[in-house]
Amino acid sequence: MLSIAIPVLNEERGLTRLQERLVAVLDGLGRPWEVIFVDDGSRDGTAAQLLALNARDPRFKAVILSRNFGKEIAVAAGLRYAAGAAAIVMDGDLQHPPEAIPALVRQWEQGYDVVYGERSNRETDTTLHRLMAQVFYGVFKKMSRTELPQGAGDFRLVDRRVVDVLNRMDERARFNKGLFAWVGFRSIGVPYEVAARGDGRSRWRWRQLMRFALDGIVSFTTIPLRVWSYLGLFVSACAFLFALYILVEALVFGINAPGFPTLIISVMFFSGVQLISLGVIGEYLGRVYDEVKGRPLFVVAREIGVGGDPGPQASERRIASP
Ligand code: UDP
Ligand code: MG
């Protein structure tokens, strides 16, 4: 069986279209399938729509989360419920064309465990967005040992083996692209055309994107923590040399005590450096705190049509669902 996991937030308008296109494509594959929508705390009629989709075709299932947990966690929820031998993750706004699914499945049948969709165009994003993405991926590449496949979006197929590993990772600060890459296995890209947004608007807010970028960096590298020791070493060495210079100057030219501006500037500069380094430690510490609390990754308000084997997270889900 094939499972399709789709996170949705306020997507009521496109869902019927999505269902039609999915059915057309998936029925052509000649194998059983299920679609698991994860409603990430929508405020519009998405949940009602999902119920209707399920009534029309029970292969469309849904998990309604109790509030907005963010896309990365919604994807994680979808994968926990996925029962198939492979799972496909895609967006619910029709930007990831269902028609590209057969190409992903073909590569999986060839023996690849991770098949990621490669965006052949990025025109659907604003210039600023593209620029920021470029900076982020550049920084990520420099700092992290996990290699992200170039141009890979969030549209991908993963084998059961990968799903099982992901389901065992219950970190809260989730950066799926990195996690998929971290798991490893044989992977390959398949190009696809990103469609324009159905209603022209990204569901991400800038603040969320920033948070997401920070999560990505912080969960995949500790370099920002370590640079401060090197910087400290360097600054101390400079201070030592400067002290020597002052000493020699005093011995040769006699005592002279200028340098009030130098003093102020260096005090301000180094308190700035210290505050930044403290802030970086805080970023990591805050995340350690979040993880240590061990709260469930997500809370399910309602399950529509999903059932059967609850999988390894059974106890958590029993607590989670009313
Ligand atoms: N989404 C979600 N929770 C969120 C934000 C987005 O489940 O907090 C879903 C959204 O409904 C869509 C997918 O994630 O199906 C991708 O979101 P969007 O299209 O806004 O992102 P972008 O196209 O900018 O990557
Ligand atoms: Mg989109």
Side-chain angles (χ1 to χ4, degrees), residues 99 162 313:
E99 292 70 27
V162 179
Q313 304 291 330

Side-chain angles (χ1 to χ4, degrees), residues 29-88:
L29 287 176
R31 54 169 83 233
W33 53 268
E34 62 172 359
V35 173
I36 298 168
F37 284 104
V38 180
D39 178 13
D40 189 17
S42 300
R43 289 174 187 282
D44 64 354
T46 299
Q49 278 273 331
L50 292 177
L51 207 60
L53 295 195
N54 175 257
R56 241 178 288 155
D57 185 341
R59 291 173 298 184
F60 285 81
K61 306 165 184 181
V63 178
I64 318 270
L65 301 186
S66 60
R67 63 171 169 85
N68 180 255
F69 281 87
K71 179 185 171 186
E72 303 299 293
I73 288 183
V75 167
L79 289 178
R80 282 218 184 142
Y81 280 88
I88 293 177

Side-chain angles (χ1 to χ4, degrees), residues 91 93 95 197 201-202:
D91 287 356
D93 58 355
Q95 280 200 280
R197 292 193 167 78
R201 203 164 47 80
S202 174

Side-chain angles (χ1 to χ4, degrees), residues 21-317:
R21 283 172 63 179
L22 278 170
V23 169
V25 170
L26 294 173
D27 277 344
L29 287 176
R31 54 169 83 233
W33 53 268
E34 62 172 359
V35 173
I36 298 168
F37 284 104
V38 180
D39 178 13
D40 189 17
S42 300
R43 289 174 187 282
D44 64 354
T46 299
Q49 278 273 331
L50 292 177
L51 207 60
L53 295 195
N54 175 257
R56 241 178 288 155
D57 185 341
R59 291 173 298 184
F60 285 81
K61 306 165 184 181
V63 178
I64 318 270
L65 301 186
S66 60
R67 63 171 169 85
N68 180 255
F69 281 87
K71 179 185 171 186
E72 303 299 293
I73 288 183
V75 167
L79 289 178
R80 282 218 184 142
Y81 280 88
I88 293 177
V89 177
M90 63 188 285
D91 287 356
D93 58 355
L94 289 168
Q95 280 200 280
H96 296 163
E99 292 70 27
I101 290 178
L104 300 183
V105 174
R106 261 196 303 279
Q107 294 297 340
W108 172 57
E109 287 165 345
Q110 298 297 314
Y112 287 97
D113 296 290
V114 178
V115 188
Y116 52 88
E118 272 173 324
R119 275 172 294 203
S120 47
N121 57 332
R122 250 201 115 121
E123 288 93 64
T124 53
D125 290 336
T126 61
T127 321
L128 181 63
H129 190 124
R130 259 182 287 171
L131 191 77
M132 302 287 275
Q134 227 170 19
V135 170
F136 170 74
Y137 289 111
V139 171
F140 193 95
K141 198 173 162 170
K142 278 254 146 46
M143 293 220 268
S144 164
R145 267 180 288 173
T146 304
E147 251 180 74
L148 299 184
Q150 269 220 311
D154 288 331
F155 188 14
R156 66 182 74 219
L157 178 151
V158 284
D159 185 77
R160 182 81 240 162
R161 294 195 285 174
V162 179
V163 176
D164 287 341
V165 178
L166 287 169
N167 285 349
R168 270 190 282 131
M169 297 185 178
D170 60 350
E171 50 198 90
R172 270 126 273 269
R174 270 185 118 74
F175 179 59
N176 283 328
K177 238 177 260 183
L179 294 181
F180 283 123
W182 182 91
V183 174
F185 289 114
R186 286 184 69 197
S187 55
I188 191 172
V190 169
Y192 74 97
E193 287 271 320
V194 180
R197 292 193 167 78
D199 59 358
R201 203 164 47 80
S202 174
R203 297 288 181 275
W204 289 83
R205 267 160 282 151
W206 276 106
R207 203 161 43 96
Q208 278 179 310
L209 277 179
M210 289 295 147
R211 184 100 224 130
F212 178 57
L214 259 179
D215 278 345
I217 302 274
V218 171
S219 18
F220 281 91
T221 170
T222 51
I223 287 182
L225 275 179
R226 279 178 285 141
V227 293
W228 302 105
S229 353
Y230 299 115
L231 188 68
L233 221 62
F234 174 73
V235 168
S236 309
C238 289
F240 183 72
L241 290 178
F242 191 53
L244 267 182
Y245 167 76
I246 301 258
L247 189 70
V248 171
E249 195 188 31
L251 289 177
V252 176
F253 301 106
I255 300 294
N256 120 9
F260 182 68
T262 329
L263 195 69
I264 294 298
I265 289 170
S266 56
V267 165
M268 279 173 58
F269 176 73
F270 291 114
S271 27
V273 168
Q274 280 166 10
L275 285 178
I276 294 172
S277 67
L278 270 179
V280 171
I281 295 173
E283 279 296 330
Y284 281 86
L285 186 65
R287 273 157 235 261
V288 171
Y289 182 55
D290 272 350
E291 303 290 344
V292 156
K293 278 186 285 191
R295 290 183 183 155
L297 206 52
F298 54 88
V299 179
V300 175
R302 181 163 184 199
E303 297 175 344
I304 300 172
V306 286
D309 178 21
Q313 304 291 330
S315 58
E316 184 179 308
R317 272 177 37 197

